[in-house]
Amino acid sequence: MRTKRDLDNSMAWEPIVKGTRDWAVAPNLTDYDQTRRTFSWDAARGLLDGLPGNHGLNIAHEAVDRHAAGPRREHLAIRWLGKNGEVEDYTYRQLGELTNRFANVLQGLGVTPGDRVYLLAGRIPELYIAALGTLKHRCVVSPLFSAFGPEPIRARLSIGRARVLVTTQSLYERKVKALRTLLPFLEHVLLVGDDHGPTEVPDTKSYRRLMDAASGPYTIQPTNSEDIALLHFTSGTTGTPKGAVHVHGAVVAHHITGKLALDFHDDDVFWCTADPGWITGSSYGIIAPLTNGITSIVDEGDFDAERWYGILQSQKVTVWYSAPTAIRMLMKAGAGMARNYDLRSLRFLSSVGEPLNPEAVVWSQETFGRPFHDNWWQTETGGIMIANFAAMDIRPGSMGRPLPGIDAAIVRATPEGSLEEIHEPDVQGELALRPGWPSMFRAYWGEPERYQKCFAGGFYLTGDLAKKDRDGYFWFVGRKDDVIKTSGHLVGPFEVESALMEHKAVAESGVIGKPDPMAFEIVKAFVVLHQGYEPTDAMKRELLAFARTRLGAVVAPKEIEFVSAVPKTRSGKIMRRLLKARELGLPEGDISTLETS
Ligand code: PRX
């Protein structure tokens, strides 16, 4: 039995050597160096069709229509597993027809290309149909996480000035209805009934009725590969959420990373467990499997170890893409549970979103006979950038090596204030990428300066700290800023602090990510109360509930501690690093700018 070790010690783990293995199915990438040398984005683009008549590149055409019109038209595109045991199958042909209808619905409403269509729903078929139909109509699709509370929803709808929102009746009633007066730009709310049927709710339209009335044929109009396709929100340390803008041309990266990093083969049954409210659930839960013409499993249910093993077994999943928090929860449920299921269909296991601890890689090798392959990317990169490939030896704890076509480096600021690449191995710096890959974000919606700040010295700066070893494997060290990773979700401390401040008892707050063995980090808030309010347990419970109602369970703090002051710099910035150091009992570092009065 291995003992738990720090990520810092992870380079000490035995590599999992796979280079000489006899493959039952040969990986798409067998020789990393050779593929890197010969790779070109133009050749990757050549694997896609483009719109008929040389009319450009549209994600929905590549994902749906080209298969619906070709030999894979009756192939299963999406199998939906409802949380109560329902199963619905959609072939590429059916998906083609339904997404046409949705594009016609938008057309009928007078919604025009470039308008923002937001989606707020659990993992229901209508979400996938609306996302692809929106792309067909060349509108911008912005999926929101359905567990968000009203405040994050309002902020994101406002930033992108949503013209259309597709949501469910119950989510609308619980989270959106009361916001309507704050959202004058939101013209059309399309409601899916909670039983997937028609709805009758004032100031909204029934998704089902509109779909039933819409006509079947739809021709995608010419689409420039630089036309905006997706708006995915992410969080920074300060300020409002950032809307990362992705274009239709990103599909070249989605498609090729599906092949090279997730090793998609024609007969694969792929299960991406992520929700489309986060970018993994869009790039790999919707786009990449469909452009590759394979079968994608969509499970509406939440994590449950028995349910998940049951799905892997009954659906004969071959490629599985999940996240470290879920893997740790499976580990907690025990390897014995996994052995009750026939999981021999599994061929390739992959993980993203937060550090994958080496023991999880080794555990999966022992439990499934297959290791989890960690990979790294961000909302801003749109697709996988660094990966452990199917044919490559795995160094447990490492994120892997850059995709062919991706130049990744470790950089640091020089004393003169410019940027230099660190060439010595195993030296920590900021992970940086050379811009130019197709799924690179093109903007933060409406914030050109914030976007520009991400680039320096010819690099896109990721905000992550990492090291590169002498063989070119990258190792995650931490974040450079104060954003929090909890259960794979990125949370901005400012958004949480602002919500807490709206409670009448709260004078100040500082929010950090507190290390957690299961969720990687949990959101913890330090709160200063106004005079006249007592720091009691009842007050703590009240604030936790207040934050949860406003922000939703994922974003709200799990822990609150009352303090007499929140440390700030002389210019008034909250010193979250110091709060974190105190929380962990670490040296407090340079506190020369700490406000002392
Ligand atoms: O800090 C890195 C962490 O997640 C951040 C990106 O989060 P988000 O934009 O929500 O995208 C998640 C979906 C890809 C990164 O800046 N991260 C992502 N993958 C890994 C990771 N940290 C460690 N190891 C990874 N494999």
Side-chain angles (χ1 to χ4, degrees):
M1 181 74 187
R2 288 170 191 268
T3 53
K4 201 164 167 51
R5 303 182 203 190
D6 270 345
L7 270 176
D8 276 355
N9 293 334
S10 53
M11 290 189 188
W13 287 76
E14 291 285 314
I16 295 173
V17 179
K18 327 203 282 178
T20 57
R21 171 168 159 173
D22 278 339
W23 301 101
V25 178
N28 291 322
L29 185 157
T30 45
D31 183 334
Y32 176 79
D33 295 315
Q34 163 80 5
T35 311
R36 256 195 99 76
R37 269 196 305 277
T38 54
F39 182 89
S40 80
W41 286 111
D42 280 347
R45 163 70 178 82
L47 299 176
L48 297 170
D49 271 10
L51 286 168
N54 223 358
H55 283 156
L57 193 60
N58 182 296
I59 295 176
H61 173 79
E62 303 304 327
V64 184
D65 285 3
R66 69 169 178 149
H67 302 303
R72 290 181 93 74
R73 60 189 268 108
E74 297 304 333
H75 194 76
L76 186 58
I78 290 178
R79 169 162 292 171
W80 177 72
L81 307 174
K83 59 179 171 229
N84 301 316
E86 315 90 310
V87 179
E88 282 176 24
D89 282 349
Y90 298 87
T91 63
Y92 279 95
R93 177 181 55 75
Q94 290 167 322
L95 204 54
E97 288 166 10
L98 289 163
T99 52
N100 277 354
R101 278 179 186 272
F102 190 78
N104 280 322
V105 166
L106 293 179
Q107 172 127 350
L109 293 173
V111 177
T112 52
D115 287 344
R116 273 75 61 208
V117 176
Y118 279 61
L119 312 174
L120 175 74
R123 291 178 296 280
I124 54 174
E126 292 85 349
L127 172 84
Y128 294 76
I129 291 161
L132 292 159
T134 298
L135 293 170
K136 281 190 167 177
H137 196 51
R138 297 171 298 139
C139 294
V140 179
V141 63
S142 185
L144 300 181
F145 190 43
S146 60
F148 277 155
E151 183 45 36
I153 293 170
R154 186 206 57 75
R156 287 157 177 79
L157 289 170
S158 302
I159 292 167
R161 298 185 74 79
R163 184 162 181 203
V164 180
L165 172 68
V166 180
T167 186
T168 64
Q169 181 164 350
S170 57
L171 284 169
Y172 178 74
E173 278 164 358
R174 279 191 291 131
K175 303 187 183 189
V176 183
K177 198 164 136 189
L179 300 174
R180 279 303 283 274
T181 50
L182 303 173
L183 308 168
F185 41 81
L186 181 59
E187 237 174 281
H188 307 288
V189 175
L190 276 47
L191 288 195
V192 179
D194 293 326
D195 56 357
H196 304 267
T199 55
E200 294 274 353
V201 176
D203 304 322
T204 71
K205 300 181 173 67
S206 166
Y207 171 94
R208 173 69 39 228
R209 293 222 169 86
L210 288 171
M211 284 291 276
D212 287 348
S215 65
Y218 182 91
T219 305
I220 301 178
Q221 295 304 301
T223 310
N224 190 297
S225 55
E226 286 298 310
D227 286 349
I228 300 176
L230 294 154
L231 176 61
H232 249 291
F233 285 90
T234 184
S235 298
T237 300
T238 56
T240 49
K242 305 185 275 191
V245 168
H246 288 287
V247 296
H248 277 274
V251 68
V252 176
H254 299 140
H255 185 73
I256 194 72
T257 52
K259 281 204 189 320
L260 299 182
L262 299 177
D263 200 37
F264 290 161
H265 286 66
D266 282 356
D267 293 326
D268 274 330
V269 177
F270 172 61
W271 184 24
C272 170
T273 61
D275 189 281
W278 307 94
I279 198 155
T280 310
S282 290
S283 295
Y284 297 97
I286 306 179
I287 301 169
L290 296 178
T291 66
N292 279 280
I294 62 174
T295 298
S296 191
I297 301 294
V298 172
D299 177 31
E300 188 191 16
D302 288 329
F303 175 87
D304 173 86
E306 296 271 14
R307 179 181 176 96
W308 277 32
Y309 287 134
I311 290 173
L312 292 171
Q313 172 180 278
S314 64
Q315 303 309 318
K316 298 191 167 42
V317 172
T318 54
V319 181
W320 183 24
Y321 196 22
S322 196
T325 297
I327 298 164
R328 287 190 287 271
M329 293 202 282
L330 291 175
M331 289 169 77
K332 192 170 167 212
M337 184 190 285
R339 287 197 199 98
N340 295 331
Y341 295 84
D342 179 355
L343 304 177
R344 282 173 299 175
S345 301
L346 277 176
R347 189 185 81 249
F348 188 72
L349 284 58
S350 188
S351 159
V352 74
E354 39 169 326
L356 182 64
N357 35 324
E359 46 279 84
V361 179
V362 172
W363 178 83
S364 70
Q365 171 75 17
E366 286 167 3
T367 308
F368 307 116
R370 306 252 179 274
F372 265 98
H373 297 72
D374 190 14
N375 59 53
W376 176 95
W377 56 290
Q378 303 179 304
T379 304
E380 287 86 345
T381 72
I384 300 171
M385 297 283 109
I386 295 178
N388 286 280
F389 298 91
M392 202 174 86
D393 295 346
I394 292 184
R395 301 189 178 175
S398 160
M399 308 188 288
R401 299 168 81 184
L403 262 284
I406 299 300
D407 281 328
I410 303 293
V411 301
R412 69 181 155 211
T414 63
E416 297 76 44
S418 62
L419 210 63
E420 68 178 7
E421 192 170 339
I422 304 175
H423 293 287
E424 314 98 89
D426 305 329
V427 176
Q428 176 180 321
E430 184 164 1
L431 177 59
L433 305 167
R434 288 259 180 230
W437 69 95
S439 63
M440 190 183 88
F441 70 135
R442 299 296 197 271
Y444 285 130
W445 191 272
E447 296 188 286
E449 279 173 25
R450 223 171 173 186
Y451 183 70
Q452 282 312 322
K453 278 194 189 141
C454 300
F455 299 87
F459 284 105
Y460 160 64
L461 301 171
T462 67
D464 278 3
L465 300 171
K467 297 177 187 174
K468 181 166 114 171
D469 70 19
R470 63 187 64 252
D471 301 313
Y473 284 72
F474 283 76
W475 300 75
F476 181 79
V477 174
R479 282 291 303 181
K480 216 176 150 211
D481 58 15
D482 293 331
V483 291
I484 300 161
K485 252 292 149 120
T486 181
S487 301
H489 308 318
L490 209 59
V491 171
F494 182 73
E495 202 167 9
V496 182
E497 287 155 4
S498 307
L500 282 167
M501 295 287 285
E502 282 174 35
H503 190 283
K504 61 182 183 313
V506 176
E508 273 183 328
S509 80
V511 168
I512 62 160
K514 173 181 168 182
D516 181 79
M518 200 55 76
F520 183 57
E521 293 182 323
I522 57 161
V523 179
K524 171 162 184 176
F526 294 86
V527 170
V528 181
L529 292 177
H530 279 299
Q531 282 208 332
Y533 291 93
E534 291 301 315
T536 58
D537 279 351
M539 175 58 78
K540 219 178 250 184
R541 282 195 299 277
E542 184 177 327
L543 292 180
L544 286 170
F546 176 82
R548 210 181 147 96
T549 312
R550 293 187 86 79
L551 297 168
V554 178
V555 182
K558 295 265 181 305
E559 246 181 57
I560 286 184
E561 184 176 325
F562 294 117
V563 287
S564 56
V566 170
K568 285 197 253 120
T569 61
R570 291 204 183 98
S571 62
K573 276 195 203 147
I574 297 167
M575 296 183 81
R576 302 190 188 90
R577 293 275 147 150
L578 187 56
L579 284 171
K580 194 157 178 171
R582 286 179 186 165
E583 172 72 33
L584 301 177
L586 295 173
E588 296 192 354
D590 180 7
I591 54 167
S592 55
T593 59
L594 182 64
E595 181 190 62
T596 46
S597 60

